[in-house]
Amino acid sequence: MTFSADFVHETRPVRVVFRPGASVTAVPDEARRLGLRRLLVVCGRRGETVARAVAEALGDACAGLHAEARMHVPVEVADRAVAVAREAGADGCVAVGGGSAIGLGKAIALRTGLPLIAVPSTYAGSEMTPVWGLTEGGVKRTGRDPVVQPRSVVYDPELTLSLPVPLSVTSGINALAHAVEALYAPDTSPLVSLMAEEGTRAMAGALPRLAAEPADLDARGRALYGAWLCGECLGATTMGLHHKLCHVLGGTFGLPHAETHTVILPYALAYNAPAVPQAMAALHRALDTRDAPRALRDLSVRLGAPRSLAELGLKEDDLVVAAEQVTGRPYANPRPVTAEGVLGVLRAAYAGREPIVAS
């Protein structure tokens, strides 16, 4: 980036606690610091054991445990959680788990204004953003509101030790997608570019290590550090074609969140590459490659991640419908979002072909 550029960078108030064991030891301290006395703990079914430990650590400050988070935050799930928070007389919320749990915590914050503490157990990055998402009638809509930004984020590498390797890989590549798009977002800045490059380098280096040795706490910590930086990037910038594709594929067709990001990323990047030479240079440095789209696909394939949208259950007849939805209300993007271009990206991702940089 040249310093003849025009940019704005906004820093949002959020406190980060990063240490092994912090998911149990730090959450009560963060609640007291915020003056909260009745917190509803929310999670998904898979994360209920850890969430229960957090709830027990809160003691009398826990107003209840709500383990009904679901992927893409269906509006009816959000409605139920808001009702539970109100019935419990909660004055705050603790979201424990991945993007689904934190997304549900954000939905509660959006509707009630309650302060949110996030305890992420995956590498999704949602905890560092003011972005919320809700799915209704097969359509996922997103927005930004400072009220949903967690007031405290507790990063505990030990919490991710139980995260299965396949989910660790796709969750980590989901985080990489945040950094990749931030590098060429219309509202990027020099600080965002630094975080995106470092976050990419950290995550891409950590994933092969933790896949080989899932109990490697240093690798887990490095991946969580990378996710933190990538999430900061997502929170500071505007999403583009990659995220729009994933929101349509997830909200309309029910494809799994992290796996969809993993499949789409190399193809969306290959489409945008000719228009973003500075972003590509940063990615080439971070990934130590001359072909970032191929390197990202090779990384995911080498670590056993899904290769194609077909593997995720999408039907070939769905491609045209998805392309129409993406182009009907596109997100900001460095290359024009055309029906032909989007359909080309989707077809390549559906088949799992080698990503080819567009000309």
Side-chain angles (χ1 to χ4, degrees):
M1 174 175 289
T2 64
F3 278 86
S4 60
D6 185 352
F7 60 85
V8 173
H9 180 79
E10 181 178 351
T11 300
R12 297 177 177 86
V14 58
R15 175 179 161 94
V16 171
V17 178
F18 193 118
R19 69 169 178 267
S23 58
V24 172
T25 61
V27 172
D29 290 342
E30 294 305 295
R32 284 190 290 271
R33 190 185 65 83
L34 292 169
L36 303 177
R37 298 182 178 182
R38 288 189 59 79
L39 293 106
L40 178 68
V41 179
V42 300
C43 64
R45 292 295 180 190
R46 192 185 65 81
E48 189 171 355
T49 300
V50 173
R52 193 167 298 280
V54 172
E56 291 173 356
L58 285 168
D60 292 341
C62 179
L65 176 66
H66 184 70
E68 297 184 15
R70 282 175 50 198
M71 188 171 59
H72 305 302
V73 196
V75 69
E76 62 273 16
V77 172
D79 290 344
R80 172 63 182 154
V82 168
V84 168
R86 287 174 172 157
E87 289 166 6
D91 63 359
C93 182
V94 181
V96 182
S100 298
I102 293 170
L104 184 58
K106 287 181 172 184
I108 294 171
L110 183 69
R111 296 268 293 277
T112 66
L114 295 180
L116 176 61
I117 298 172
V119 187
S121 63
T122 70
Y123 309 125
S126 175
E127 67 277 358
M128 295 308 302
T129 81
V131 178
W132 57 265
L134 291 166
T135 299
E136 183 174 14
V139 177
K140 184 170 184 176
R141 57 191 178 93
T142 63
R144 288 176 178 260
D145 192 317
V147 76
V148 309
Q149 175 85 54
R151 300 282 293 278
S152 293
V153 178
V154 176
Y155 285 115
D156 179 357
E158 290 182 358
L159 193 59
T160 65
L161 289 172
S162 61
L163 188 66
V165 167
L167 184 53
S168 296
V169 170
T170 55
S171 178
I173 296 174
N174 177 15
L176 287 175
H178 306 330
V180 167
E181 283 218 316
L183 282 166
Y184 55 68
D187 46 2
T188 194
S189 72
L191 182 56
V192 168
S193 295
L194 285 171
M195 289 191 295
E197 184 172 339
E198 172 63 6
T200 298
R201 183 178 293 107
M203 183 63 75
L207 289 178
R209 289 177 54 197
L210 68 82
E213 181 49 70
D216 184 340
L217 189 60
D218 182 72
R220 291 286 185 177
R222 186 167 178 80
L224 205 54
Y225 162 70
W228 171 19
L229 294 179
C230 293
E232 285 270 20
C233 293
L234 175 64
T237 57
T238 300
M239 292 177 282
L241 174 63
H242 170 90
H243 280 84
K244 179 65 177 184
L245 284 162
C246 293
H247 289 166
V248 167
L249 292 169
T252 301
F253 301 100
L255 297 196
H257 182 82
E259 291 87 344
T260 302
H261 277 273
T262 298
V263 171
I264 287 291
L265 178 57
Y267 302 102
L269 178 59
Y271 179 80
N272 281 325
V276 291
Q278 289 187 329
M280 297 305 294
L283 290 172
H284 291 159
R285 289 192 299 269
L287 298 169
D288 191 21
T289 184
R290 294 183 178 181
D291 188 339
R294 182 165 296 184
L296 288 167
R297 182 179 181 275
D298 288 349
L299 175 67
S300 64
V301 169
R302 187 168 77 251
L303 299 181
R307 298 171 179 236
S308 69
L309 294 177
E311 284 183 61
L312 301 183
L314 193 71
K315 306 300 182 186
E316 192 166 8
D317 291 345
D318 295 332
L319 298 180
V320 172
V321 178
E324 288 173 350
Q325 289 198 22
V326 171
T327 55
R329 297 184 66 182
Y331 292 174
N333 198 65
R335 281 193 73 193
V337 178
T338 66
E340 181 182 6
V342 170
L343 196 54
V345 170
L346 285 168
R347 283 175 172 156
Y350 178 82
R353 297 196 295 264
E354 286 287 334
I356 299 173
V357 173
S359 57

